[in-house]
Amino acid sequence: MADEVLFEFFHMEIVGQFLQSARKDEKESAFTKLEFLGYRVGQRLVERFTKEVPRFKDELDTMKFICKDLWTSCYKKQIDNLRTNHQGVYVLQDNKFRLLTQISEGKQYMEYAPQFLAFPCGLIRGALSNLGIASNVTAEVSAMPACKFQIQIQRL
Amino acid sequence: MAVCVAVISKENFPLFIKTIPTENELKFFYTVHTSLDVVEEKISNVGKNVNDMRELYLGLLYPTEDYKVYGYVTNTKVKFVIVVESSNTNLRDNEIRGMFRRLHNAYVDMMCNPFYTPGENISSKPFERIVDSMLVQD
């Protein structure tokens, strides 16, 4: 099916375009822009996805929605592991993250991984913020196609 | 059909409100405003009871002498309020439900427009057309 890879290619091109147009000292701002792009997409996406879904009971219920429904719609698989300390920190582990599968598995291209994770981080943050949860999302990669998203809930 | 349709943001400020007749608009603003307390009460109860309803449609919020107020809250905490005349007895629950569903669909379509910034007042023409189709035709 060609339509599944379209998003992947589009995302790759966007990342390339953003980083290319940024000068050496502006790499940070390119990341911020990518993250904000994800934020806006997440905000809108969640509006559509939750149309037929019953109301969420609590925060964990919302997280499960992100891990199952949102992830399946965006990345064709569910999150492999969801962990929480019940104090506002959630760790979402994906053992084969779709946007990283095209990169060689060795250590060689490790430094390029973060640029492909800015958009997904923003996507999660946007989705959560529209569902009424303010958060900070960071990502880390330890071995290539696997990655972890850490969500820190901001409480007032 | 309805005499007033309102969309209220998650921070409880109005995004869109349209009434028929337009002369006592302010009265409907007041009615919608007071209904927000009932909405708040209904959604804060979710999750405390095992067998409570987790539907987006909240049903009849409260009846007044002349009007009935119905509410609907999306998962993103955007509130829809529809006011109908009490004298209109042939309007069943199912039809109100259908109106909210159409309103929600229209809202989602509008939200996915890249030129709309979330939290802005709604000025979309297609959205307004849907609302117009729900208001009383005289």
Side-chain angles (χ1 to χ4, degrees):
Chain A
M1 289 286 279
D3 55 341
E4 286 188 8
V5 291
L6 274 182
F7 164 64
E8 257 173 77
F9 287 149
F10 187 53
H11 177 256
M12 277 186 226
E13 287 304 319
I14 288 179
V15 170
Q17 189 63 38
F18 268 68
L19 288 170
Q20 231 168 50
S21 59
R23 274 178 285 128
K24 279 245 155 34
D25 51 328
E26 284 177 339
K27 286 271 185 278
E28 265 320 295
S29 87
F31 276 46
T32 315
K33 273 186 202 156
L34 271 173
E35 207 261 2
F36 187 64
L37 208 69
Y39 179 82
R40 300 249 305 194
V41 172
Q43 236 182 350
R44 281 157 214 268
L45 216 52
V46 92
E47 197 74 55
R48 199 171 277 277
F49 287 161
T50 58
K51 207 163 70 178
E52 309 288 333
V53 178
R55 203 180 302 287
F56 299 124
K57 278 203 302 271
D58 47 23
E59 214 172 77
L60 192 63
D61 216 26
T62 316
M63 282 309 165
K64 282 182 188 158
F65 167 80
I66 302 273
C67 293
K68 288 184 183 153
D69 302 44
L70 187 78
W71 223 254
T72 317
S73 312
C74 295
Y75 308 116
K76 306 290 168 211
K77 73 187 283 292
Q78 292 186 8
I79 280 283
D80 294 297
N81 192 347
L82 166 68
R83 266 179 297 172
T84 174
N85 66 353
H86 296 288
Q87 281 164 9
V89 178
Y90 292 84
V91 179
L92 279 59
Q93 187 174 345
D94 192 331
N95 293 334
K96 198 167 180 291
F97 188 53
R98 186 153 159 243
L99 299 180
L100 295 179
T101 49
Q102 304 298 331
I103 307 173
S104 160
E105 283 191 11
K107 294 263 177 210
Q108 196 182 357
Y109 296 106
M110 204 64 127
E111 55 175 314
Y112 296 106
Q115 68 195 47
F116 292 101
L117 295 172
F119 181 87
C121 280
L123 195 84
I124 300 175
R125 195 168 69 87
L128 285 175
S129 104
N130 207 6
L131 292 171
I133 301 173
S135 59
N136 261 332
V137 183
T138 49
E140 63 177 90
V141 185
S142 38
M144 212 27 158
C147 73
K148 272 183 196 163
F149 294 94
Q150 180 163 345
I151 303 171
Q152 174 97 45
I153 310 289
Q154 292 173 332
R155 300 196 201 279
L156 298 172
Chain B
M1 298 287 265
V3 288
C4 171
V5 174
V7 180
I8 294 118
S9 77
K10 71 176 95 201
E11 295 89 0
N12 283 339
F13 58 81
L15 291 174
F16 180 91
I17 182 159
K18 188 154 188 174
T19 62
I20 273 183
T22 38
E23 55 263 28
N24 42 16
E25 226 178 8
L26 207 60
K27 187 175 75 184
F28 289 113
F29 274 59
Y30 177 69
T31 314
V32 171
H33 188 104
T34 41
S35 72
L36 288 181
D37 268 343
V38 189
V39 170
E40 202 65 40
E41 194 188 325
K42 288 210 181 207
I43 43 175
S44 63
N45 278 334
V46 170
K48 285 180 189 149
N49 236 322
V50 188
N51 49 0
D52 64 353
M53 32 172 250
R54 287 168 61 194
E55 237 187 314
L56 302 181
Y57 175 61
L58 297 178
L60 181 65
L61 295 178
Y62 66 96
T64 64
E65 218 163 289
D66 309 320
Y67 303 105
K68 282 188 206 151
V69 186
Y70 292 89
Y72 185 103
V73 182
T74 70
N75 269 312
T76 52
K77 305 284 183 298
V78 174
K79 293 113 186 149
F80 300 135
V81 176
I82 292 183
V83 184
V84 299
E85 275 174 319
S86 298
S87 55
N88 194 343
T89 46
N90 52 14
L91 210 55
R92 300 196 184 281
D93 205 47
N94 249 339
E95 281 150 52
I96 302 280
R97 232 176 250 269
M99 279 160 81
F100 275 122
R101 201 169 307 123
R102 265 192 295 152
L103 192 63
H104 193 177
N105 283 338
Y107 175 77
V108 168
D109 287 344
M110 194 266 322
M111 184 74 182
C112 290
N113 179 350
F115 296 106
Y116 174 75
T117 320
E120 244 176 26
N121 277 352
I122 298 169
S123 55
S124 150
K125 290 240 169 66
F127 183 80
E128 200 163 343
R129 261 203 298 282
I130 302 274
V131 172
D132 282 341
S133 74
M134 290 178 197
L135 292 168
V136 196
Q137 287 102 20
D138 290 320

